[in-house]
């Protein structure tokens, strides 16, 4: 395999034995979002570079250091592969005039994101996010609804011990005073700041708080906190959020150090953090961005949202030993001997699939022994062999793979009903063994006898 081309560093293949886990979390995410009235949108994977510069911010690490940029033709437009979902979502809702409709507008999305970072556990160059965005409400109830949605979704997946941290990073009014205080503070450390942060010192000193260089992080430890500079309006909003979080019973901690890595945030910012993730501990990040829509050319409209990293979510589920339900196995493997039987198996299998059963038959011209080995490997519940005599009599032995038990049935007439009964019986057994519900189990057992 010396000259084989490999997948790019920091990307992952999701194969058949894992994709059910993705489907599980994606379904729960979309289903939970529906409970809160969020509708899915789909936007392009790449957008104009200017969009990310203007929204995410051209002094952020994401834009300055982590963007994948593409140019189809020299001298033509420069595009960026999306590093997050909010910029594209905001562009789409403005461009499609969705803000002219009844507000609030609630949307959600499942997307792949691209950031040129150093790959490690929980940090990839292509990763996936479930995100939600809400537009039109300035009320702290909106902040709490969005936080509740993330919390609810984690709860439905069975996640334990995930901490919510909140902070307020103010609005342009109070932030101006804060930026001044920050600048004065960092001026004292000019000699030790990295080159990027020296530039940030002039243009956007708050971004220094988010710098990954250990030296800058050390200096930033004692920097003034935004929370001490909030204006009356921002203070009240933050209190309103906390009051509502208490009312719904979601526990939280204030972390005055959260600033978030993207420029568009105002007022509330929040993170959900798990101890099971090691260094990459943040699974969800979000907040309010009241100035963003206007900044992107739309009418002044408050907004807020979050992004959940799906790879990190799966890592936590695994670390916490939460078992994701495996897809139901194959109902029936239809083995065949000879061409006529193979043709019969082919048409019978299709009929049964039309009835909603999972059925497989031989496509490899295997020996009967090899076919049965395959049936075992795919975990089929039942198998049946069709050969010359079976075609003649219309009867064949149906074998329960778990017990080896066999009984003869008229396969044209009774196969469908037999599989159906088998599945009902399995449900009844599960109800009885797992939940001790004998009454309900018997209801299922009896259901199969009535026609
Ligand atoms: P971090 O501080 O870990 O770099 P971030 O603040 O850059 O995260 P956001 O931009 O808020 O992350 O993105 C929201 C979520 O997306 C994160 O909480 C995380 O779960 C996930 N995420 C971000 N970057 C990556 C990455 N490179 N690989 C995997 N997941 C990521
Ligand atoms: Mg990051």
């Amino acid at each position: 395999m010396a000259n084989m081309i490999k997948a790019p560093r920091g990307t992952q293949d999701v194969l058949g034995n894992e994709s059910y886990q993705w489907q599980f979390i994606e379904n729960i995410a979309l289903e939970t979002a529906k409970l809160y009235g969020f509708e899915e949108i789909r936007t392009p994977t790449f957008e104009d570079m200017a969009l990310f510069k203007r929204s995410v911010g051209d002094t952020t690490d994401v834009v300055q250091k982590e963007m994948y940029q593409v140019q189809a033709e020299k001298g033509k437009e420069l595009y960026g592969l999306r590093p997050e979902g909010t910029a594209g979502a905001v562009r789409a809702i403005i461009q499609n005039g969705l803000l002219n409709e009844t507000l609030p507008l609630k949307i959600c999305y499942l997307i792949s994101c691209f950031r040129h970072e150093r790959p490690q556990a929980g940090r990839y160059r292509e990763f996936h996010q479930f995100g939600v965005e809400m537009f039109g409400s300035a009320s702290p109830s909106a902040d709490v609804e969005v936080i509740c949605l993330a919390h609810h979704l984690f709860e439905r997946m069975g996640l334990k011990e995930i901490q919510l941290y909140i902070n307020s990073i103010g609005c342009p009014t109070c932030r101006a005073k804060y930026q001044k205080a920050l600048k004065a503070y960092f001026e004292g450390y000019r000699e030790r700041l990295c080159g990027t942060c020296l530039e940030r010192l002039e243009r956007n000193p708050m971004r220094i708080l988010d710098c990954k260089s250990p030296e800058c992080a050390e200096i930033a430890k004692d920097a003034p906190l935004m929370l001490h500079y909030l204006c009356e309006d921002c203070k009240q909003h933050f209190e309103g959020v906390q009051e509502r979080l208490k009312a719904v019973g979601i526990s939280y901690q204030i972390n005055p150090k959260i600033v978030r890595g993207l420029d568009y945030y105002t007022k509330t910012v929040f993170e959900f953090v798990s101890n099971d993730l090691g260094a990459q501990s943040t699974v969800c990040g979000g907040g309010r961005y009241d100035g963003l829509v206007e900044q992107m050319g739309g009418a002044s409209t408050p907004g807020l949202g979050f992004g959940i990293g799906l790879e990190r979510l799966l890592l936590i589920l695994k670390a916490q030993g939460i078992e994701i339900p495996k897809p139901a196995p194959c109902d029936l493997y239809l083995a065949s001997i000879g061409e006529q039987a193979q043709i019969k198996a082919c048409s019978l299998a299709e009929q049964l699939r039309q009835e909603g059963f999972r059925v497989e038959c031989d496509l490899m011209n295997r020996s009967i022994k090899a076919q049965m080995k395959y049936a075992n490997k795919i975990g089929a519940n039942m198998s049946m062999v069709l050969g010359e005599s079976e075609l003649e009599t219309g009867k064949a032995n149906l074998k329960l793979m778990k017990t080896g038990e066999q009984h003869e049935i008229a396969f044209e007439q009774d196969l469908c009903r037999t599989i159906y009964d088998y599945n009902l019986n399995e449900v009844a057994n599960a109800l009885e063994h797992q939940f001790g519900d004998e009454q309900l189990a018997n209801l299922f057992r009896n259901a199969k006898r009535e026609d």
Side-chain angles (χ1 to χ4, degrees):
M1 303 232 277
N3 61 1
M4 203 201 94
I5 297 171
K6 298 220 173 80
R9 210 161 99 81
T11 67
Q12 291 174 300
D13 297 314
V14 175
L15 304 178
N17 58 354
E18 293 168 323
S19 55
Y20 73 93
Q21 303 181 3
W22 284 83
Q23 288 160 9
F24 173 80
I25 59 170
E26 288 172 355
N27 286 341
I28 290 187
L30 290 175
E31 285 306 313
T32 311
K34 266 190 214 151
L35 297 178
Y36 295 77
F38 286 74
E39 276 179 354
E40 191 195 354
I41 64 159
R42 300 183 188 204
T43 62
T45 307
F46 62 95
E47 299 267 4
D48 211 310
M49 239 344 261
L51 178 81
F52 299 117
K53 284 191 179 159
R54 230 206 280 174
S55 56
V56 174
D58 56 4
T59 55
T60 58
D61 266 1
V62 171
V63 167
Q64 281 190 323
K65 301 180 179 165
E66 300 168 3
M67 285 287 300
Y68 282 92
Q69 302 186 23
V70 283
Q71 196 169 30
E73 215 181 309
K74 223 174 162 199
K76 283 277 165 71
E77 313 85 329
L78 197 55
Y79 295 109
L81 298 189
R82 64 177 165 219
E84 53 89 65
T86 305
V90 168
R91 192 229 7 96
I93 61 127
I94 299 173
Q95 191 177 334
N96 293 289
L98 300 188
L99 292 170
N100 304 327
E101 292 169 23
T102 317
L103 298 177
L105 170 67
K106 301 176 182 183
I107 56 169
C108 64
Y109 47 80
L110 284 162
I111 56 170
S112 48
C113 300
F114 307 86
R115 297 186 192 179
H116 190 81
E117 303 194 76
R118 198 170 65 79
Q120 52 202 289
R123 193 176 292 288
Y124 312 98
R125 292 184 170 169
E126 179 181 23
F127 63 98
H128 297 80
Q129 276 192 359
F130 172 70
V132 312
E133 316 286 350
M134 191 201 299
F135 301 94
S137 170
S139 162
S141 290
D143 304 45
V144 172
E145 187 168 299
V146 161
I147 292 173
C148 280
L149 165 41
H151 181 264
H152 191 158
L153 186 154
F154 293 140
E155 216 171 46
R156 274 186 140 192
M157 290 176 190
L159 233 65
K160 295 163 281 210
E161 285 168 44
I162 181 149
Q163 270 82 45
L164 167 64
Y165 293 99
I166 61 169
N167 189 23
S168 174
I169 56 169
C171 63
T173 317
C174 46
R175 212 182 286 163
K177 227 169 47 185
Y178 175 60
Q179 294 266 38
K180 223 183 245 170
L182 260 189
K183 185 157 191 252
Y185 172 83
F186 284 120
E187 283 287 0
Y189 297 94
R190 257 184 181 281
E191 272 72 62
R192 288 169 56 195
L193 289 176
C194 74
T196 321
C197 281
L198 277 178
E199 187 201 330
R200 288 168 172 160
L201 187 58
E202 300 310 321
R203 294 179 57 201
N204 190 353
M206 234 174 119
R207 286 274 65 92
I208 303 175
L209 298 173
D210 206 42
C211 183
K212 299 284 189 307
S213 123
E215 183 80 355
C216 297
E218 183 60 34
I219 300 167
K221 264 191 185 148
D222 297 319
L225 298 171
M226 181 65 227
L227 218 44
H228 298 145
Y229 288 80
L230 294 183
C231 64
E232 204 41 50
D233 179 40
C234 288
K235 220 185 262 171
Q236 260 185 30
H237 186 89
F238 196 44
E239 273 159 21
V241 170
Q242 293 179 62
E243 204 180 337
R244 286 160 178 78
L245 281 176
K246 283 179 194 138
V248 294
I250 294 183
S251 54
Y252 64 90
Q253 277 173 272
I254 296 174
N255 178 355
K257 299 248 176 203
I258 297 179
V259 288
R260 313 286 308 118
L262 316 168
D263 263 356
Y264 46 64
Y265 288 111
T266 54
K267 291 188 172 151
T268 319
V269 287
F270 61 88
E271 290 182 349
F272 281 90
V273 173
S274 163
N275 290 329
D276 296 303
L277 266 186
Q280 270 50 261
S281 56
T282 310
V283 63
C284 171
R288 197 168 255 292
Y289 44 79
D290 288 346
L292 183 60
V293 175
E294 192 175 12
Q295 199 184 314
M296 301 311 291
S300 169
T301 313
L304 67 160
F306 66 67
I308 293 176
L310 299 184
E311 283 82 358
R312 288 190 196 175
L313 184 57
L314 283 170
L315 285 173
I316 305 177
L317 288 171
K318 196 167 172 203
Q320 294 192 352
I322 293 162
E323 217 168 298
I324 295 178
K326 283 212 170 77
C330 173
D331 286 304
L332 173 71
Y333 181 80
L334 266 178
S336 53
I337 307 166
E339 183 156 16
Q340 286 314 307
Q342 196 183 70
I343 293 169
K344 184 77 209 165
C346 181
S347 74
L348 205 52
E350 187 52 21
Q351 269 174 40
L352 291 165
R353 293 178 193 129
Q354 297 284 338
E355 296 296 328
F357 296 118
R358 294 164 300 268
V359 182
E360 291 202 43
C361 52
D362 178 47
L363 303 175
M364 307 296 291
N365 289 324
R366 287 191 172 111
S367 71
I368 194 67
K369 198 172 152 211
Q371 287 187 55
M372 294 318 288
K373 208 169 146 196
Y374 178 79
N376 254 321
K377 186 160 184 280
I378 61 170
N381 288 333
M382 298 183 230
S383 66
M384 175 178 262
V385 182
L386 296 181
E388 235 169 76
S389 66
E390 282 79 8
L391 293 196
E392 248 165 53
T393 59
K395 289 188 176 157
N397 277 333
L398 187 73
K399 180 176 169 188
L400 303 187
M401 300 296 279
K402 230 190 287 181
T403 57
E405 198 183 317
Q406 297 198 23
H407 58 271
E408 196 181 61
I409 62 165
F411 55 83
E412 294 280 13
Q413 297 84 7
D414 297 337
L415 200 44
C416 193
R417 181 72 205 199
T418 312
I419 303 175
Y420 176 76
D421 282 352
Y422 177 89
N423 288 350
L424 273 181
N425 211 36
E426 288 291 287
V427 174
N429 290 343
L431 280 168
E432 193 166 352
H433 295 141
Q434 283 184 26
F435 306 106
D437 198 334
E438 201 179 327
Q439 212 179 347
L440 196 58
N442 283 335
L443 218 68
F444 273 87
R445 286 191 187 110
N446 292 336
K448 71 176 198 176
R449 289 194 203 105
E450 290 162 17
D451 239 321

